[in-house]
Amino acid sequence: QKLNLSMTRFGIHGCLELSRGLGQNEVIEEINLEYCGFGGNSDILAQALMNNRSVTEINLDSNEIQAYHFKLWAKLIAIHPRLERMIVNNNAAKKEGARYLAQSLPHSSSLLSLQIENNYLGPEGTKAIADALKQNSTLRGLKIDRNSIKMKGAESLA
């Protein structure tokens, strides 16, 4: 089953209600929440999804998610038994958020695809992810373009 709420602007109350429902849901496998403007409220969603065992795909494209909020999303990647695809394009992970994601990758046994395009990772964030990939045997797809990775970042991916 799929839930598509893209371009739906949630305030804090809507985010809380959505989180309650998603945390208890055992049917929805794909969640599309692109352009919802969660920003700082994305932690509420990540925490709720820690208890969800049905989700296989989460799309958080363009939600103004800042670097420090990637800590909980990274934890979700590390512990979720069925999460196969995570899309966090067009947010603001920066090198700090990339480090959180990198810490989760060696522990993920289900993630097959990570899209983190246009997140200001720079060469340092890219290197953190590249180093983590050496300890991950499940990830098959990584979209990391438009991150100002420069030659140093590109070399770390080679």
Side-chain angles (χ1 to χ4, degrees):
Q1 298 292 341
K2 298 179 183 182
L3 175 65
N4 185 350
L5 296 173
S6 65
M7 302 181 103
T8 304
R9 291 299 216 182
F10 293 93
I12 183 67
H13 298 293
C15 188
L16 286 168
E17 290 301 317
L18 177 61
S19 296
R20 281 189 199 111
L22 290 176
Q24 299 171 1
N25 188 285
E26 296 179 6
V27 176
I28 295 172
E29 294 178 346
E30 297 178 20
I31 302 172
N32 183 351
L33 298 171
E34 59 186 328
Y35 296 99
C36 290
F38 286 117
N41 296 328
S42 74
D43 285 2
I44 298 167
L45 287 169
Q47 191 64 47
L49 289 170
M50 299 281 178
N51 300 317
N52 180 302
R53 296 296 179 237
S54 64
V55 172
T56 60
E57 179 177 322
I58 302 171
N59 184 344
L60 296 168
D61 189 337
S62 302
N63 269 292
E64 304 161 18
I65 301 170
Q66 302 298 311
Y68 53 91
H69 294 292
F70 275 83
K71 187 173 189 174
L72 271 179
W73 290 107
K75 181 178 178 183
L76 181 69
I77 288 171
I79 68 166
H80 200 285
R82 294 193 64 218
L83 184 61
E84 296 176 356
R85 186 171 185 216
M86 183 77 159
I87 303 168
V88 289
N89 300 331
N90 304 305
N91 285 289
K94 301 182 181 173
K95 65 182 175 188
E96 297 85 4
R99 287 182 184 137
Y100 290 131
L101 291 172
Q103 290 170 359
S104 73
L105 290 175
H107 305 285
S108 173
S109 60
S110 62
L111 193 68
L112 301 174
S113 173
L114 175 62
Q115 294 183 27
I116 187 166
E117 300 174 53
N118 196 29
N119 266 279
Y120 314 100
L121 304 184
E124 292 177 32
T126 304
K127 183 176 182 336
I129 289 176
D131 289 346
L133 289 176
K134 295 172 186 170
Q135 302 169 42
N136 178 293
S137 61
T138 58
L139 196 70
R140 299 288 177 252
L142 175 66
K143 292 188 89 175
I144 197 168
D145 56 302
R146 295 179 290 136
N147 273 298
S148 302
I149 66 172
K150 302 183 180 173
M151 184 57 78
K152 184 178 178 183
E155 288 172 352
S156 66
L157 289 168

